Amino acid sequence: MFFPADAWFRAFLLTLAVEVPIVALLLRRFEPSWPRLLVLIVFANLATHPAVWFVFTQLFLIGTPGYVVAAEGWAVGAEAVLYWSAFRCVSVRRAVAVSLVANLASFLAGRLLVAVWPDPFW
């Protein structure tokens, strides 16, 4: 399935709008610099989001449990690794929990948006 870059970018902006505040709130005490914290969060999402849209959609049927588990598992895992490695005092457990909460929130926000406004990314 083909996804135009502008559709991906709108979805990416929605992801950032949901995940940045959550991750910033949960990791703020580990990073005193707001600009550094925000850049790390954006880059964590930039490292995972394109693969969710452009790679996993070629490997799995979109919307199937396999797709959701693989794509969201990738996002949670990769972002957790980045948070754990970027913030010295963040445990693996905390990094995974933060990533899981943020990704679950953005996944649900996307599902809600699609339910209210079908095909918002086309």
Side-chain angles (χ1 to χ4, degrees), residues 56 59-74:
F56 287 96
L59 301 173
F60 297 92
L61 184 60
I62 298 170
T64 62
Y67 168 78
V68 173
V69 168
E72 293 301 323
W74 154 254

Coordinates of all heavy atoms in Angstrom, one line a residue, residues 56 59-74:
F56 N 6.5 -1.4 8.0 CA 5.6 -2.4 8.5 C 4.4 -2.5 7.7 O 3.8 -3.6 7.6 CB 5.3 -2.1 10.0 CG 6.5 -2.4 10.9 CD1 7.3 -1.4 11.3 CD2 6.7 -3.7 11.3 CE1 8.4 -1.7 12.1 CE2 7.8 -4.0 12.1 CZ 8.6 -3.0 12.5
L59 N 5.1 -5.2 5.2 CA 5.3 -6.5 5.7 C 4.1 -7.2 6.3 O 4.0 -8.4 6.4 CB 6.4 -6.4 6.8 CG 7.7 -5.9 6.5 CD1 8.6 -5.7 7.7 CD2 8.4 -6.8 5.4
F60 N 3.1 -6.4 6.7 CA 1.9 -6.9 7.3 C 0.6 -6.2 6.7 O 0.7 -5.1 6.2 CB 1.9 -6.6 8.8 CG 3.0 -7.2 9.6 CD1 4.2 -6.6 9.8 CD2 2.8 -8.5 10.1 CE1 5.2 -7.2 10.5 CE2 3.9 -9.1 10.8 CZ 5.1 -8.4 11.0
L61 N -0.5 -6.9 6.8 CA -1.7 -6.3 6.4 C -2.2 -5.3 7.5 O -2.3 -5.6 8.7 CB -2.8 -7.4 6.3 CG -4.2 -6.9 5.8 CD1 -4.1 -6.3 4.4 CD2 -5.1 -8.1 5.7
I62 N -2.3 -4.0 7.1 CA -2.6 -2.9 8.0 C -3.9 -3.2 8.8 O -4.9 -3.7 8.2 CB -2.8 -1.6 7.2 CG1 -1.5 -1.3 6.5 CG2 -3.2 -0.5 8.2 CD1 -1.6 -0.1 5.6
G63 N -3.9 -3.0 10.1 CA -5.0 -3.2 10.9 C -5.1 -4.5 11.6 O -5.9 -4.7 12.4
T64 N -4.3 -5.5 11.1 CA -4.4 -6.8 11.7 C -3.6 -6.8 13.0 O -2.8 -6.0 13.2 CB -3.8 -7.9 10.7 OG1 -2.4 -7.5 10.5 CG2 -4.5 -7.9 9.4
P65 N -4.0 -7.8 13.8 CA -3.2 -7.9 15.1 C -1.7 -8.0 14.9 O -0.9 -7.4 15.6 CB -3.8 -9.1 15.8 CG -5.2 -9.2 15.2 CD -5.1 -8.7 13.8
G66 N -1.3 -8.7 13.9 CA 0.1 -8.9 13.6 C 0.8 -7.6 13.3 O 1.9 -7.3 13.8
Y67 N 0.1 -6.8 12.5 CA 0.7 -5.4 12.1 C 0.8 -4.6 13.4 O 1.8 -3.9 13.7 CB -0.2 -4.7 11.1 CG 0.1 -3.3 11.0 CD1 1.2 -2.9 10.2 CD2 -0.6 -2.3 11.6 CE1 1.6 -1.5 10.1 CE2 -0.3 -1.0 11.5 CZ 0.8 -0.6 10.7 OH 1.2 0.8 10.6
V68 N -0.3 -4.5 14.2 CA -0.3 -3.7 15.4 C 0.8 -4.1 16.4 O 1.5 -3.3 16.9 CB -1.7 -3.7 16.1 CG1 -1.7 -3.0 17.4 CG2 -2.7 -3.1 15.1
V69 N 0.9 -5.4 16.6 CA 1.9 -5.9 17.5 C 3.3 -5.6 17.0 O 4.2 -5.1 17.8 CB 1.7 -7.4 17.8 CG1 2.9 -8.0 18.5 CG2 0.4 -7.7 18.6
A70 N 3.6 -5.9 15.8 CA 4.9 -5.6 15.2 C 5.3 -4.2 15.2 O 6.3 -3.8 15.6 CB 5.0 -6.3 13.8
A71 N 4.4 -3.4 14.6 CA 4.7 -1.9 14.4 C 4.8 -1.2 15.8 O 5.7 -0.5 16.0 CB 3.6 -1.3 13.5
E72 N 3.8 -1.4 16.6 CA 3.8 -0.8 17.9 C 4.9 -1.3 18.8 O 5.5 -0.6 19.6 CB 2.4 -0.8 18.6 CG 1.4 0.0 17.8 CD 1.7 1.4 17.7 OE1 2.2 2.0 18.6 OE2 1.3 2.0 16.7
G73 N 5.2 -2.6 18.7 CA 6.3 -3.2 19.5 C 7.6 -2.6 19.1 O 8.4 -2.3 19.9
W74 N 7.8 -2.4 17.8 CA 9.0 -1.7 17.3 C 9.1 -0.3 17.9 O 10.1 0.1 18.4 CB 9.0 -1.6 15.8 CG 9.8 -0.5 15.2 CD1 9.3 0.6 14.7 CD2 11.2 -0.4 15.2 NE1 10.3 1.5 14.3 CE2 11.5 0.8 14.6 CE3 12.2 -1.2 15.6 CZ2 12.8 1.3 14.4 CZ3 13.5 -0.8 15.4 CH2 13.8 0.4 14.8

